[in-house]
Amino acid sequence: MLNIVLFGPPGAGKGTQSQKLIARYNLVHLSTGDLLRSQIAQGTELGLRAKKLMDEGLLVPDEVVIGMIESQLASNTTAAGFIFDGFPRTVPQAESLDALMQRYDTGVSCMIALEVAEEELVSRLLERGKTSNRIDDQDEAKIRKRVTVYNTETAQVAGFYAAQQKFHALNGIGAIEDIFQQICTIIDQHQAATTEDTRQATDEVKA
Ligand code: AMP
């Protein structure tokens, strides 16, 4: 399976690149932000509780998002792989994702981080807020709060994957297509290395 964690602050381009990646690699897109907004739209109890935090730019509790990912994995057992967008956002979420993936005899293939400076993020999100209907994109103070939450609570997740030699960073400023090609290069190199490992293991068994 190919399981990609697409990482980066709000406004880095994760959603845009996810759409292109799912088409190229036939992956299931799991965005915890989208899953939470769908709960809000359905008016569920979980959605109501999450909305208050989301509107303030704060993180929803780990157990809520982990539970959502768990049920998505359980209902997509035939998927060729997943692209995780906006998850994991804390180290406990990353640890839980590893444990969940192990249940399916798989794991995170690599994390790709899109790096974008704060002023660019603020201007991108304010622009998106004109059409997205997202309250959290319409107020500069809330946007800056989300970036601060990213820097204080989420950025350390990069270290979690770096320790597993799975971390790759890219400049997230540039043409969408150029950034997409750079992401594909990382994924294709990962897949080539995995295929080579499998071939060597098969040769060893035969020898
Ligand atoms: P996003 O669409 O990824 O920008 O997420 C929108 C909001 O949903 C965030 O500001 C958080 O309030 C909440 N959220 C999304 N994903 C997570 C997550 N993995 N952990 C905690 N909160 C999340």
Side-chain angles (χ1 to χ4, degrees), residues 92-151:
Q93 289 181 23
E95 289 167 345
S96 297
L97 180 60
D98 272 1
L100 283 173
M101 300 246 94
Q102 266 175 26
R103 276 193 212 164
Y104 297 96
D105 276 333
T106 185
V108 169
S109 310
C110 53
M111 168 196 255
I112 301 172
L114 300 176
E115 296 180 335
V116 177
E118 178 162 343
E119 291 317 308
E120 172 73 11
L121 297 171
V122 172
S123 81
R124 284 185 187 182
L125 290 176
L126 283 173
E127 196 54 37
R128 185 170 81 181
K130 290 180 187 164
T131 52
S132 73
N133 268 337
R134 282 182 56 170
I135 292 174
D136 59 349
D137 282 347
Q138 287 166 12
D139 173 344
E140 182 169 337
K142 280 181 187 160
I143 292 172
R144 289 195 187 275
K145 172 86 193 161
R146 282 155 67 204
V147 176
T148 301
V149 167
Y150 173 83
N151 289 331

Side-chain angles (χ1 to χ4, degrees), residues 10 32-34 36-37 53-54 57-60 65 86-89 93 128 134 136 146:
T32 39
D34 286 352
L36 288 164
R37 282 184 287 278
L53 294 162
M54 292 168 75
L58 299 170
L59 294 186
V60 169
V65 282
F87 179 90
R89 260 174 156 99
Q93 289 181 23
R128 185 170 81 181
R134 282 182 56 170
D136 59 349
R146 282 155 67 204

